[in-house]
Protein backbone atom coordinates (compact mmCIF):
# COMPACT_ATOMS: atom_id res chain seq x y z
CA UNK A 1 0.00 0.00 0.00
CA UNK A 2 1.34 3.42 -0.95
CA UNK A 3 2.23 5.61 2.04
CA UNK A 4 0.99 9.20 1.83
CA UNK A 5 2.79 12.19 3.33
CA UNK A 6 1.59 15.70 4.12
CA UNK A 7 3.35 19.00 3.35
CA UNK A 8 5.47 18.59 6.52
CA UNK A 9 6.55 15.09 5.38
CA UNK A 10 4.48 13.43 8.11
CA UNK A 11 2.85 10.09 7.20
CA UNK A 12 -0.89 10.07 6.67
CA UNK A 13 -3.15 7.42 8.14
CA UNK A 14 -6.47 7.69 6.26
CA UNK A 15 -8.22 5.67 8.99
CA UNK A 16 -7.62 8.54 11.44
CA UNK A 17 -9.31 10.99 9.08
CA UNK A 18 -12.57 9.04 9.29
CA UNK A 19 -12.89 9.67 13.03
CA UNK A 20 -14.13 12.70 14.89
CA UNK A 21 -12.29 16.03 14.53
CA UNK A 22 -9.21 16.47 16.68
CA UNK A 23 -10.67 19.28 18.80
CA UNK A 24 -13.64 17.14 19.82
CA UNK A 25 -11.38 15.56 22.48
CA UNK A 26 -10.10 18.92 23.76
CA UNK A 27 -13.27 19.97 25.53
CA UNK A 28 -11.53 22.64 27.60
CA UNK A 29 -11.10 24.76 24.47
CA UNK A 30 -14.84 24.78 23.82
CA UNK A 31 -15.62 25.83 27.41
CA UNK A 32 -13.31 28.84 27.54
CA UNK A 33 -14.45 32.45 27.24
CA UNK A 34 -12.37 35.45 26.19
CA UNK A 35 -10.87 37.58 28.94
CA UNK A 36 -10.82 40.73 26.75
CA UNK A 37 -7.30 41.99 27.49
CA UNK A 38 -8.13 45.36 25.93
CA UNK A 39 -9.88 46.32 29.17
CA UNK A 40 -7.57 48.58 31.11
CA UNK A 41 -4.91 48.32 28.44
CA UNK A 42 -1.76 50.30 29.20
CA UNK A 43 1.66 50.40 27.52
CA UNK A 44 3.08 48.19 30.27
CA UNK A 45 0.26 45.65 29.94
CA UNK A 46 0.60 45.62 26.14
CA UNK A 47 4.33 44.96 26.41
CA UNK A 48 3.63 42.00 28.74
CA UNK A 49 1.09 40.58 26.27
CA UNK A 50 3.67 40.68 23.49
CA UNK A 51 6.35 39.10 25.69
CA UNK A 52 4.00 36.24 26.65
CA UNK A 53 3.23 35.62 22.97
CA UNK A 54 6.92 35.40 22.15
CA UNK A 55 7.32 32.71 24.83
CA UNK A 56 4.53 30.62 23.25
CA UNK A 57 1.44 31.89 25.11
CA UNK A 58 -0.65 33.35 22.25
CA UNK A 59 -3.91 33.65 24.19
CA UNK A 60 -3.81 37.31 25.23
CA UNK A 61 -2.34 38.52 21.92
CA UNK A 62 -4.98 36.65 19.92
CA UNK A 63 -7.82 37.89 22.12
CA UNK A 64 -6.45 41.43 21.94
CA UNK A 65 -6.60 41.21 18.14
CA UNK A 66 -10.29 40.24 18.37
CA UNK A 67 -10.98 43.13 20.77
CA UNK A 68 -9.22 45.63 18.54
CA UNK A 69 -11.29 44.65 15.51
CA UNK A 70 -14.53 44.81 17.49
CA UNK A 71 -13.88 48.06 19.35
CA UNK A 72 -12.25 50.24 16.68
CA UNK A 73 -14.57 51.00 13.76
CA UNK A 74 -11.79 52.48 11.65
CA UNK A 75 -9.52 49.47 12.10
CA UNK A 76 -12.43 47.13 11.34
CA UNK A 77 -13.33 49.01 8.15
CA UNK A 78 -9.76 48.98 6.84
CA UNK A 79 -9.33 45.28 7.58
CA UNK A 80 -12.63 44.51 5.85
CA UNK A 81 -11.42 46.25 2.69
CA UNK A 82 -8.40 43.99 2.64
CA UNK A 83 -10.35 40.81 3.42
CA UNK A 84 -13.13 41.45 0.91
CA UNK A 85 -10.57 42.22 -1.80
CA UNK A 86 -9.64 38.52 -1.62
CA UNK A 87 -13.24 37.45 -2.32
CA UNK A 88 -13.50 39.68 -5.40
CA UNK A 89 -10.99 37.60 -7.41
CA UNK A 90 -11.80 34.46 -9.40
CA UNK A 91 -9.67 31.34 -9.04
CA UNK A 92 -9.04 28.14 -10.93
CA UNK A 93 -6.94 25.00 -10.68
CA UNK A 94 -4.07 24.74 -13.14
CA UNK A 95 -2.50 21.38 -14.06
CA UNK A 96 1.25 20.83 -13.63
CA UNK A 97 3.59 21.82 -16.45
CA UNK A 98 3.35 19.45 -19.43
CA UNK A 99 0.58 17.55 -17.67
CA UNK A 100 -0.45 14.12 -18.90
CA UNK A 101 -4.02 13.26 -19.78
CA UNK A 102 -4.42 11.55 -16.39
CA UNK A 103 -3.12 14.63 -14.55
CA UNK A 104 -5.46 16.92 -16.49
CA UNK A 105 -8.40 14.67 -15.66
CA UNK A 106 -7.39 14.59 -11.98
CA UNK A 107 -7.10 18.39 -11.91
CA UNK A 108 -10.59 18.76 -13.35
CA UNK A 109 -11.97 16.31 -10.77
CA UNK A 110 -10.39 18.11 -7.82
CA UNK A 111 -11.58 21.49 -9.08
CA UNK A 112 -15.11 20.11 -9.25
CA UNK A 113 -14.82 19.04 -5.60
CA UNK A 114 -13.49 22.46 -4.59
CA UNK A 115 -16.36 24.27 -6.26
CA UNK A 116 -18.81 22.24 -4.20
CA UNK A 117 -17.30 23.80 -1.05
CA UNK A 118 -18.09 27.21 0.39
CA UNK A 119 -14.85 28.67 -0.92
CA UNK A 120 -15.89 32.25 -0.12
CA UNK A 121 -16.22 31.24 3.51
CA UNK A 122 -12.85 29.46 3.43
CA UNK A 123 -11.13 32.49 1.90
CA UNK A 124 -12.69 34.85 4.44
CA UNK A 125 -11.61 32.62 7.33
CA UNK A 126 -8.05 32.42 6.01
CA UNK A 127 -7.96 36.19 5.49
CA UNK A 128 -8.85 36.54 9.18
CA UNK A 129 -5.23 35.54 9.80
CA UNK A 130 -3.99 38.90 8.51
CA UNK A 131 -4.39 40.49 11.95
CA UNK A 132 -3.11 37.80 14.37
CA UNK A 133 -0.71 36.35 11.78
CA UNK A 134 -2.33 32.93 11.43
CA UNK A 135 -5.70 31.23 10.97
CA UNK A 136 -6.76 27.63 11.51
CA UNK A 137 -9.57 25.70 9.79
CA UNK A 138 -10.27 22.16 10.96
CA UNK A 139 -11.31 19.67 8.28
CA UNK A 140 -14.08 17.20 9.06
CA UNK A 141 -13.58 14.47 6.43
CA UNK A 142 -16.29 12.21 5.05
CA UNK A 143 -15.65 9.01 3.09
CA UNK A 144 -18.47 7.54 1.06
CA UNK A 145 -18.81 5.81 -2.32
CA UNK A 146 -15.02 5.59 -2.52
CA UNK A 147 -14.66 9.37 -2.34
CA UNK A 148 -13.04 11.63 0.28
CA UNK A 149 -14.73 14.99 0.75
CA UNK A 150 -14.64 17.68 3.48
CA UNK A 151 -18.12 17.58 4.95
CA UNK A 152 -17.18 20.44 7.27
CA UNK A 153 -14.56 23.19 7.34
CA UNK A 154 -14.62 24.76 10.81
CA UNK A 155 -12.81 27.96 11.72
CA UNK A 156 -11.06 27.73 15.07
CA UNK A 157 -10.30 30.84 17.17
CA UNK A 158 -6.72 32.04 17.16
CA UNK A 159 -6.49 31.75 20.96
CA UNK A 160 -6.89 27.95 20.73
CA UNK A 161 -3.29 27.69 19.53
CA UNK A 162 0.13 28.00 21.08
CA UNK A 163 3.78 27.47 20.15
CA UNK A 164 6.36 25.39 21.96
CA UNK A 165 9.57 26.76 23.41
CA UNK A 166 11.67 24.60 21.09
CA UNK A 167 9.48 25.11 17.99
CA UNK A 168 8.33 28.71 17.89
CA UNK A 169 7.25 28.42 14.26
CA UNK A 170 4.97 25.41 14.84
CA UNK A 171 1.38 26.00 15.86
CA UNK A 172 -0.15 23.48 18.25
CA UNK A 173 -3.47 23.09 19.99
CA UNK A 174 -3.36 24.24 23.62
CA UNK A 175 -3.50 21.53 26.25
CA UNK A 176 -3.83 21.83 30.04
CA UNK A 177 -0.26 20.58 30.56
CA UNK A 178 1.11 23.54 28.60
CA UNK A 179 2.96 21.32 26.10
CA UNK A 180 0.41 21.52 23.29
CA UNK A 181 -0.79 18.84 20.89
CA UNK A 182 0.53 18.55 17.34
CA UNK A 183 -2.03 19.18 14.62
CA UNK A 184 -3.32 16.08 12.86
CA UNK A 185 -1.82 15.73 9.34
CA UNK A 186 -4.36 16.61 6.63
CA UNK A 187 -6.83 17.44 9.38
CA UNK A 188 -6.19 21.19 9.21
CA UNK A 189 -5.73 24.15 6.91
CA UNK A 190 -3.32 26.32 8.90
CA UNK A 191 -2.56 29.59 7.17
CA UNK A 192 0.50 31.58 8.21
CA UNK A 193 -0.14 35.11 6.95
CA UNK A 194 3.16 36.94 7.15
CA UNK A 195 2.76 40.68 7.49
CA UNK A 196 6.49 40.67 8.18
CA UNK A 197 9.22 38.11 8.67
CA UNK A 198 9.54 36.49 12.07
CA UNK A 199 8.13 33.77 14.28
CA UNK A 200 4.40 33.08 14.41
CA UNK A 201 3.93 35.37 17.38
CA UNK A 202 5.61 38.30 15.63
CA UNK A 203 4.37 37.87 12.08
CA UNK A 204 0.89 39.41 12.35
CA UNK A 205 -0.32 42.97 11.93
CA UNK A 206 -1.62 43.02 15.50
CA UNK A 207 1.79 43.98 16.86
CA UNK A 208 1.97 46.96 14.50
CA UNK A 209 -1.61 48.12 15.04
CA UNK A 210 -1.81 47.66 18.81
CA UNK A 211 0.14 50.83 19.59
CA UNK A 212 -1.95 53.27 17.52
CA UNK A 213 -5.04 51.45 18.84
CA UNK A 214 -3.89 52.09 22.42
CA UNK A 215 -3.04 55.77 21.89
CA UNK A 216 -6.24 56.37 19.95
CA UNK A 217 -8.24 55.01 22.87
CA UNK A 218 -6.37 57.30 25.25
CA UNK A 219 -7.17 60.29 23.06
CA UNK A 220 -10.83 59.29 22.68
CA UNK A 221 -11.21 58.88 26.44
CA UNK A 222 -9.58 62.23 27.14
CA UNK A 223 -11.75 63.90 24.50
CA UNK A 224 -14.89 62.49 26.13
CA UNK A 225 -13.80 63.83 29.52
CA UNK A 226 -13.00 67.21 28.00
CA UNK A 227 -16.41 67.44 26.32
CA UNK A 228 -18.08 66.51 29.60
CA UNK A 229 -16.69 69.54 31.44
CA UNK A 230 -16.13 71.95 28.53
CA UNK A 231 -17.85 75.29 29.17
CA UNK A 232 -18.68 74.46 32.79
CA UNK A 233 -17.34 76.75 35.52
CA UNK A 234 -15.13 75.45 38.28
CA UNK A 235 -17.26 74.94 41.43
CA UNK A 236 -15.67 75.44 44.82
CA UNK A 237 -17.48 74.44 47.98
CA UNK A 238 -16.81 76.28 51.22
CA UNK A 239 -17.67 74.70 54.57
CA UNK A 240 -17.33 76.32 57.99
CA UNK A 241 -14.71 75.16 60.48
CA UNK A 242 -15.74 72.19 62.52
CA UNK A 243 -17.86 70.57 59.80
CA UNK A 244 -18.20 66.81 60.13
CA UNK A 245 -17.07 64.31 57.51
CA UNK A 246 -20.71 63.65 56.60
CA UNK A 247 -21.34 67.37 56.04
CA UNK A 248 -18.26 67.61 53.87
CA UNK A 249 -19.40 64.62 51.82
CA UNK A 250 -22.82 66.21 51.38
CA UNK A 251 -21.22 69.42 50.10
CA UNK A 252 -19.01 67.44 47.70
CA UNK A 253 -22.00 65.62 46.22
CA UNK A 254 -23.80 68.94 45.75
CA UNK A 255 -20.78 70.51 44.03
CA UNK A 256 -20.35 67.51 41.71
CA UNK A 257 -24.02 67.20 40.83
CA UNK A 258 -24.88 70.88 40.32
CA UNK A 259 -23.09 70.96 36.96
CA UNK A 260 -25.48 68.39 35.50
CA UNK A 261 -28.69 69.02 37.39
CA UNK A 262 -28.37 72.85 37.47
CA UNK A 263 -29.90 72.66 40.95
CA UNK A 264 -28.94 71.42 44.39
CA UNK A 265 -29.15 71.93 48.14
CA UNK A 266 -26.41 72.36 50.72
CA UNK A 267 -26.47 72.71 54.52
CA UNK A 268 -26.86 76.17 56.01
CA UNK A 269 -23.56 77.88 56.60
CA UNK A 270 -21.97 76.36 53.50
CA UNK A 271 -21.65 77.99 50.09
CA UNK A 272 -20.63 77.18 46.52
CA UNK A 273 -18.44 79.57 44.54
CA UNK A 274 -18.31 79.48 40.72
CA UNK A 275 -14.98 80.28 39.10
CA UNK A 276 -14.24 81.01 35.43
CA UNK A 277 -15.65 78.43 33.00
CA UNK A 278 -13.34 75.65 31.80
CA UNK A 279 -11.42 76.56 28.68
CA UNK A 280 -9.50 74.58 26.10
CA UNK A 281 -9.82 73.06 22.64
CA UNK A 282 -10.44 69.59 21.25
CA UNK A 283 -7.75 69.92 18.57
CA UNK A 284 -4.99 68.05 20.45
CA UNK A 285 -7.27 65.05 21.02
CA UNK A 286 -8.57 64.89 17.45
CA UNK A 287 -5.01 65.31 16.14
CA UNK A 288 -3.90 62.27 18.12
CA UNK A 289 -6.90 60.26 16.91
CA UNK A 290 -6.26 61.29 13.31
CA UNK A 291 -2.60 60.27 13.58
CA UNK A 292 -3.60 56.87 14.95
CA UNK A 293 -6.16 56.25 12.20
CA UNK A 294 -3.70 57.25 9.48
CA UNK A 295 -1.11 54.91 10.97
CA UNK A 296 -3.64 52.07 10.88
CA UNK A 297 -4.56 52.79 7.25
CA UNK A 298 -0.90 52.85 6.22
CA UNK A 299 -0.19 49.56 7.96
CA UNK A 300 -3.26 47.77 6.55
CA UNK A 301 -3.70 49.27 3.07
CA UNK A 302 -0.37 50.94 2.39
CA UNK A 303 -1.80 54.48 2.38
CA UNK A 304 -4.59 56.78 3.52
CA UNK A 305 -6.14 58.06 0.28
CA UNK A 306 -8.68 55.25 0.29
CA UNK A 307 -9.93 56.35 3.72
CA UNK A 308 -9.01 59.97 4.40
CA UNK A 309 -8.15 62.81 2.03
CA UNK A 310 -8.14 65.76 4.46
CA UNK A 311 -9.61 67.89 1.70
CA UNK A 312 -6.60 67.35 -0.56
CA UNK A 313 -4.99 64.69 -2.66
CA UNK A 314 -4.27 64.49 -6.34
CA UNK A 315 -5.16 62.06 -9.08
CA UNK A 316 -1.53 60.94 -9.40
CA UNK A 317 -1.36 60.15 -5.67
CA UNK A 318 -4.59 58.21 -6.00
CA UNK A 319 -3.06 56.16 -8.82
CA UNK A 320 -0.02 55.38 -6.69
CA UNK A 321 -2.21 54.31 -3.77
CA UNK A 322 -4.33 52.15 -6.07
CA UNK A 323 -1.23 50.34 -7.34
CA UNK A 324 -0.09 49.81 -3.75
CA UNK A 325 -3.50 48.40 -2.86
CA UNK A 326 -3.28 45.94 -5.76
CA UNK A 327 0.22 44.88 -4.76
CA UNK A 328 -0.99 44.14 -1.22
CA UNK A 329 -3.96 42.20 -2.58
CA UNK A 330 -1.71 40.17 -4.90
CA UNK A 331 0.60 39.34 -1.98
CA UNK A 332 -2.36 38.20 0.16
CA UNK A 333 -3.68 36.04 -2.67
CA UNK A 334 -0.32 34.40 -3.31
CA UNK A 335 0.03 33.45 0.36
CA UNK A 336 -3.52 32.07 0.56
CA UNK A 337 -3.15 30.20 -2.75
CA UNK A 338 0.04 28.51 -1.54
CA UNK A 339 -1.69 27.42 1.69
CA UNK A 340 -4.73 26.01 -0.11
CA UNK A 341 -2.58 24.19 -2.67
CA UNK A 342 -0.51 22.46 0.05
CA UNK A 343 -3.20 21.77 2.63
CA UNK A 344 -6.48 21.33 0.71
CA UNK A 345 -5.76 20.59 -2.96
CA UNK A 346 -3.02 18.07 -2.16
CA UNK A 347 -5.16 15.93 0.22
CA UNK A 348 -8.09 15.93 -2.22
CA UNK A 349 -5.79 14.90 -5.06
CA UNK A 350 -3.83 12.19 -3.26
CA UNK A 351 -6.81 10.65 -1.43
CA UNK A 352 -9.07 10.52 -4.48
CA UNK A 353 -6.85 10.12 -7.56
CA UNK A 354 -3.44 8.80 -6.57
CA UNK A 355 -1.78 11.29 -8.90
CA UNK A 356 1.57 12.55 -7.61
CA UNK A 357 2.10 15.95 -9.23
CA UNK A 358 -0.16 18.55 -7.62
CA UNK A 359 -2.06 21.20 -9.60
CA UNK A 360 -1.81 24.77 -8.36
CA UNK A 361 -4.70 26.87 -7.13
CA UNK A 362 -4.21 30.23 -8.85
CA UNK A 363 -6.10 33.51 -8.47
CA UNK A 364 -6.75 35.50 -11.62
CA UNK A 365 -5.74 38.82 -10.10
CA UNK A 366 -4.39 40.55 -13.19
CA UNK A 367 -6.44 43.50 -14.39
CA UNK A 368 -7.47 43.45 -18.11
CA UNK A 369 -5.73 45.98 -20.29
CA UNK A 370 -7.46 48.90 -22.01
CA UNK A 371 -9.40 47.26 -24.86
CA UNK A 372 -9.84 50.50 -26.79
CA UNK A 373 -6.13 51.32 -26.68
CA UNK A 374 -5.10 47.87 -27.87
CA UNK A 375 -7.81 47.77 -30.56
CA UNK A 376 -6.40 50.97 -32.03
CA UNK A 377 -2.70 50.22 -31.68
CA UNK A 378 -2.37 46.48 -32.44
CA UNK A 379 -3.58 46.67 -36.11
CA UNK A 380 -1.07 49.45 -36.81
CA UNK A 381 1.76 47.49 -35.19
CA UNK A 382 0.88 44.40 -37.23
CA UNK A 383 0.74 46.45 -40.45
CA UNK A 384 4.17 47.83 -39.57
CA UNK A 385 5.53 44.28 -39.64
CA UNK A 386 5.65 43.50 -35.92
CA UNK A 387 4.91 39.82 -35.24
CA UNK A 388 2.62 39.66 -32.20
CA UNK A 389 1.66 36.25 -30.73
CA UNK A 390 -2.09 35.83 -30.45
CA UNK A 391 -1.61 34.13 -27.07
CA UNK A 392 0.06 37.27 -25.67
CA UNK A 393 -2.78 39.49 -26.88
CA UNK A 394 -5.40 37.17 -25.36
CA UNK A 395 -3.62 37.15 -22.00
CA UNK A 396 -3.34 40.94 -21.98
CA UNK A 397 -6.99 41.47 -22.87
CA UNK A 398 -8.34 38.53 -20.84
CA UNK A 399 -10.00 37.05 -23.93
CA UNK A 400 -10.06 33.22 -23.86
CA UNK A 401 -9.30 31.16 -26.95
CA UNK A 402 -12.49 29.75 -28.52
CA UNK A 403 -13.15 26.03 -28.31
CA UNK A 404 -13.46 23.95 -31.43
CA UNK A 405 -16.75 24.79 -33.15
CA UNK A 406 -17.63 27.52 -30.65
CA UNK A 407 -19.51 30.53 -32.02
CA UNK A 408 -17.36 33.63 -32.25
CA UNK A 409 -18.07 37.29 -32.90
CA UNK A 410 -17.46 38.66 -36.39
CA UNK A 411 -17.89 41.92 -38.27
CA UNK A 412 -21.13 42.40 -40.16
CA UNK A 413 -19.29 43.85 -43.15
CA UNK A 414 -15.73 44.77 -44.06
CA UNK A 415 -14.89 48.42 -44.63
CA UNK A 416 -14.28 49.56 -48.23
CA UNK A 417 -10.60 50.32 -48.41
CA UNK A 418 -9.89 49.87 -52.11
CA UNK A 419 -11.68 50.98 -55.33
CA UNK A 420 -12.18 47.33 -56.30
CA UNK A 421 -14.63 47.03 -53.42
CA UNK A 422 -17.18 48.68 -55.73
CA UNK A 423 -17.06 45.65 -57.99
CA UNK A 424 -17.54 43.32 -55.01
CA UNK A 425 -20.48 45.35 -53.69
CA UNK A 426 -22.38 45.41 -57.00
CA UNK A 427 -21.62 41.82 -57.90
CA UNK A 428 -22.71 40.58 -54.47
CA UNK A 429 -26.15 42.09 -54.96
CA UNK A 430 -26.91 39.59 -57.72
CA UNK A 431 -24.86 36.62 -56.47
CA UNK A 432 -24.34 35.58 -60.14
CA UNK A 433 -21.44 35.80 -62.60
CA UNK A 434 -20.80 39.31 -63.90
CA UNK A 435 -21.93 39.84 -67.51
CA UNK A 436 -19.89 41.75 -70.08
CA UNK A 437 -22.20 44.79 -69.80
CA UNK A 438 -21.87 44.77 -66.01
CA UNK A 439 -18.10 44.36 -66.23
CA UNK A 440 -17.86 47.41 -68.46
CA UNK A 441 -20.01 49.47 -66.09
CA UNK A 442 -17.95 48.38 -63.08
CA UNK A 443 -14.70 49.25 -64.83
CA UNK A 444 -16.01 52.74 -65.56
CA UNK A 445 -17.09 53.24 -61.93
CA UNK A 446 -13.71 52.07 -60.67
CA UNK A 447 -11.93 54.49 -62.97
CA UNK A 448 -14.10 57.40 -61.79
CA UNK A 449 -13.65 56.51 -58.08
CA UNK A 450 -9.91 55.94 -58.20
CA UNK A 451 -8.76 59.56 -58.18
CA UNK A 452 -10.93 60.98 -55.34
CA UNK A 453 -10.45 57.88 -53.15
CA UNK A 454 -6.69 57.90 -53.69
CA UNK A 455 -6.58 61.58 -52.76
CA UNK A 456 -8.43 60.95 -49.50
CA UNK A 457 -6.25 57.95 -48.61
CA UNK A 458 -3.13 60.02 -49.24
CA UNK A 459 -4.32 62.64 -46.75
CA UNK A 460 -4.96 59.93 -44.17
CA UNK A 461 -1.54 58.35 -44.83
CA UNK A 462 0.26 61.66 -44.23
CA UNK A 463 -1.67 62.27 -41.01
CA UNK A 464 -0.75 58.80 -39.73
CA UNK A 465 2.94 59.38 -40.48
CA UNK A 466 2.94 62.80 -38.81
CA UNK A 467 0.96 61.89 -35.68
CA UNK A 468 2.88 61.24 -32.47
CA UNK A 469 -0.05 59.56 -30.69
CA UNK A 470 -3.47 58.10 -31.36
CA UNK A 471 -5.11 61.15 -29.82
CA UNK A 472 -3.16 63.49 -32.10
CA UNK A 473 -4.09 61.38 -35.16
CA UNK A 474 -7.76 61.52 -34.20
CA UNK A 475 -7.71 65.30 -33.83
CA UNK A 476 -5.80 65.86 -37.08
CA UNK A 477 -8.21 63.68 -39.06
CA UNK A 478 -11.18 65.57 -37.64
CA UNK A 479 -9.53 68.86 -38.64
CA UNK A 480 -8.70 67.60 -42.14
CA UNK A 481 -12.10 66.13 -42.94
CA UNK A 482 -13.80 69.40 -43.98
CA UNK A 483 -10.99 70.04 -46.50
CA UNK A 484 -11.32 66.62 -48.14
CA UNK A 485 -13.23 66.68 -51.44
CA UNK A 486 -15.66 63.82 -51.11
CA UNK A 487 -18.35 65.06 -53.50
CA UNK A 488 -16.96 63.23 -56.57
CA UNK A 489 -16.57 59.98 -54.61
CA UNK A 490 -20.10 60.30 -53.24
CA UNK A 491 -21.45 60.73 -56.78
CA UNK A 492 -19.63 57.62 -57.99
CA UNK A 493 -20.92 55.64 -55.01
CA UNK A 494 -24.47 56.79 -55.74
CA UNK A 495 -24.13 55.63 -59.36
CA UNK A 496 -22.81 52.27 -58.19
CA UNK A 497 -25.71 51.77 -55.80
CA UNK A 498 -28.21 52.76 -58.48
CA UNK A 499 -26.61 50.33 -60.95
CA UNK A 500 -26.79 47.54 -58.37
CA UNK A 501 -30.46 48.26 -57.71
CA UNK A 502 -31.30 48.27 -61.42
CA UNK A 503 -29.41 45.02 -61.96
CA UNK A 504 -31.36 43.40 -59.16
CA UNK A 505 -34.73 44.55 -60.57
CA UNK A 506 -33.79 43.31 -64.03
CA UNK A 507 -32.96 39.83 -62.74
CA UNK A 508 -36.23 39.69 -60.79
CA UNK A 509 -38.23 40.62 -63.89
CA UNK A 510 -36.36 38.06 -65.98
CA UNK A 511 -36.82 35.40 -63.31
CA UNK A 512 -33.10 34.82 -62.98
Amino acid sequence: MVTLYDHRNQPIRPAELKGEPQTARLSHLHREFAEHPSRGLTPAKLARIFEDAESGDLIAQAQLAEDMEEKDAHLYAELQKRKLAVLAVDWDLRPPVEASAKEIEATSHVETLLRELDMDGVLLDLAAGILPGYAGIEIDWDYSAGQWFPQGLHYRPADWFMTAQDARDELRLRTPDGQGEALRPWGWIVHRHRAKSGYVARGGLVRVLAWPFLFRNYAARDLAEFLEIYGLPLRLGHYPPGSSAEEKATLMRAVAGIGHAAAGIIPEGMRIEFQEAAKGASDPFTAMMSWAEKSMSKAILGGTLGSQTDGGGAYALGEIHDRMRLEIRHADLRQIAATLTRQLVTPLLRLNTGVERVPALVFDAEEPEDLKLYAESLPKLVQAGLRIPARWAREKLKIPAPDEGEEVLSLAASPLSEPTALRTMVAASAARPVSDAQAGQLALLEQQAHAPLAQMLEVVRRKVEQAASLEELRDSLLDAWPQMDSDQLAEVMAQALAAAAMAGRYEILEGL
Side-chain angles (χ1 to χ4, degrees):
M1 182 176 181
V2 178
T3 302
L4 302 176
Y5 296 90
D6 71 351
H7 63 286
R8 293 171 295 184
N9 204 33
Q10 296 181 348
I12 305 299
R13 299 176 179 84
E16 293 182 357
L17 301 179
K18 296 180 181 180
E20 61 183 9
Q22 183 177 4
T23 57
R25 296 182 292 101
L26 304 176
S27 58
H28 66 284
L29 296 176
H30 296 272
R31 295 196 303 266
E32 290 181 350
F33 295 94
E35 297 183 1
H36 299 287
S38 64
R39 285 197 296 255
L41 188 64
T42 63
K45 182 179 179 180
L46 181 58
R48 286 196 302 272
I49 290 174
F50 287 164
E51 290 173 0
D52 291 343
E54 292 170 21
S55 65
D57 183 0
L58 302 175
I59 299 177
Q61 181 171 290
Q63 292 180 355
L64 175 62
E66 290 285 345
D67 284 355
M68 289 165 55
E69 192 170 358
E70 291 177 357
K71 292 185 175 181
D72 195 307
H74 180 82
L75 188 150
Y76 168 80
E78 300 295 78
L79 277 175
Q80 280 297 101
K81 293 176 186 176
R82 189 157 166 182
K83 292 178 185 178
L84 296 180
V86 173
L87 301 185
V89 182
D90 294 329
W91 61 270
D92 61 7
L93 210 58
R94 295 184 183 176
V97 178
E98 298 181 356
S100 64
K102 184 177 180 180
E103 289 173 332
I104 294 176
E105 181 181 357
T107 300
S108 177
H109 177 65
V110 173
E111 182 170 351
T112 300
L113 295 178
L114 288 175
R115 297 204 179 272
E116 293 179 7
L117 299 173
D118 178 18
M119 287 300 290
D120 281 354
V122 172
L123 294 176
L124 196 61
D125 288 342
L126 295 183
I130 294 173
L131 187 58
Y134 59 92
I137 299 177
E138 190 171 14
I139 305 176
D140 184 7
W141 288 100
D142 175 66
Y143 181 77
S144 59
Q147 185 82 27
W148 288 92
F149 186 76
Q151 67 176 356
L153 294 168
H154 309 292
Y155 174 79
R156 300 308 185 192
D159 60 351
W160 283 21
F161 300 90
M162 62 170 291
T163 59
Q165 291 283 352
D166 58 346
R168 288 190 289 175
D169 250 352
E170 179 188 346
L171 284 169
R172 300 179 179 181
L173 285 172
R174 286 193 293 108
T175 53
D177 61 6
Q179 298 301 311
E181 182 176 308
L183 300 180
R184 179 184 297 169
W186 283 1
W188 291 83
I189 305 173
V190 180
H191 177 54
R192 283 283 311 280
H193 205 101
R194 291 177 172 85
K196 62 184 185 66
S197 299
Y199 295 117
V200 175
R202 304 188 68 175
L205 273 179
V206 60
R207 297 176 73 96
V208 178
L209 297 173
W211 295 107
F213 168 81
L214 173 62
F215 296 135
R216 185 185 185 280
N217 279 349
Y218 275 156
R221 182 198 63 190
D222 294 343
L223 177 60
E225 292 179 355
F226 168 77
L227 294 177
E228 184 177 9
I229 64 172
Y230 179 73
L232 296 178
L234 175 65
R235 289 94 66 194
L236 294 177
H238 296 270
Y239 56 86
S243 298
S244 65
E246 183 179 353
E247 291 174 331
K248 294 177 183 179
T250 301
L251 177 61
M252 186 61 192
R253 287 194 298 271
V255 170
I258 198 170
H260 299 281
I265 58 174
I266 59 175
E268 186 177 357
M270 297 182 180
R271 62 187 176 87
I272 297 178
E273 180 180 347
F274 293 89
Q275 302 293 328
E276 185 178 3
K279 293 184 177 180
S282 62
D283 294 348
F285 309 112
T286 56
M288 173 64 80
M289 295 171 64
S290 178
W291 166 83
E293 291 179 353
K294 288 180 179 179
S295 298
M296 292 176 184
S297 296
K298 292 174 183 177
I300 298 171
L301 299 177
T304 62
L305 289 181
S307 308
Q308 299 167 322
T309 60
D310 295 330
Y315 178 78
L317 291 176
E319 287 287 299
I320 293 173
H321 180 267
D322 190 57
R323 287 198 297 270
M324 177 61 69
R325 176 185 60 83
L326 291 177
E327 290 174 1
I328 292 175
R329 186 188 71 174
H330 294 348
D332 290 344
L333 291 174
R334 284 194 295 268
Q335 292 191 48
I336 291 176
T339 296
L340 289 174
T341 298
R342 291 193 307 268
Q343 302 180 42
L344 183 58
V345 175
T346 299
L348 285 171
L349 180 82
R350 299 277 170 78
L351 290 171
N352 292 311
T353 69
V355 172
E356 285 297 320
R357 294 206 300 167
V358 180
L361 189 142
V362 179
F363 289 94
D364 185 13
E366 295 297 327
E367 298 292 328
E369 300 289 347
D370 188 340
L371 284 173
K372 181 179 179 181
L373 177 62
Y374 275 73
E376 293 175 347
S377 59
L378 285 179
K380 294 179 174 62
L381 295 173
V382 173
Q383 290 175 1
L386 187 64
R387 300 179 64 188
I388 301 176
R391 176 182 54 81
W392 175 86
R394 291 187 182 279
E395 289 177 355
K396 284 289 184 181
L397 301 176
K398 299 299 179 185
I399 300 176
D403 296 331
E404 185 68 26
E406 185 177 7
E407 184 180 2
V408 298
L409 299 177
S410 60
L411 295 176
S414 300
L416 299 176
S417 57
E418 296 291 338
T420 53
L422 292 169
R423 178 188 297 274
T424 304
M425 181 182 65
V426 177
S429 65
R432 291 177 61 85
V434 179
S435 64
D436 293 340
Q438 291 173 333
Q441 181 67 24
L442 289 174
L444 178 60
L445 291 172
E446 287 181 15
Q447 183 180 1
Q448 294 175 349
H450 182 271
L453 186 56
Q455 181 183 7
M456 296 177 66
L457 290 176
E458 178 62 22
V459 174
V460 174
R461 185 187 65 79
R462 289 199 305 268
K463 297 297 183 184
V464 171
E465 293 176 349
Q466 297 170 359
S469 65
L470 295 177
E471 292 77 9
E472 183 178 340
L473 175 61
R474 176 197 60 198
D475 296 339
S476 62
L477 289 177
L478 291 175
D479 294 338
W481 175 252
Q483 284 74 41
M484 293 184 184
D485 185 8
S486 59
D487 294 342
Q488 184 179 354
L489 180 61
E491 182 178 351
V492 175
M493 294 293 294
Q495 293 177 8
L497 292 172
M502 293 177 64
R505 290 190 178 187
Y506 173 77
E507 293 191 357
I508 292 175
L509 292 174
E510 293 297 321
L512 298 178

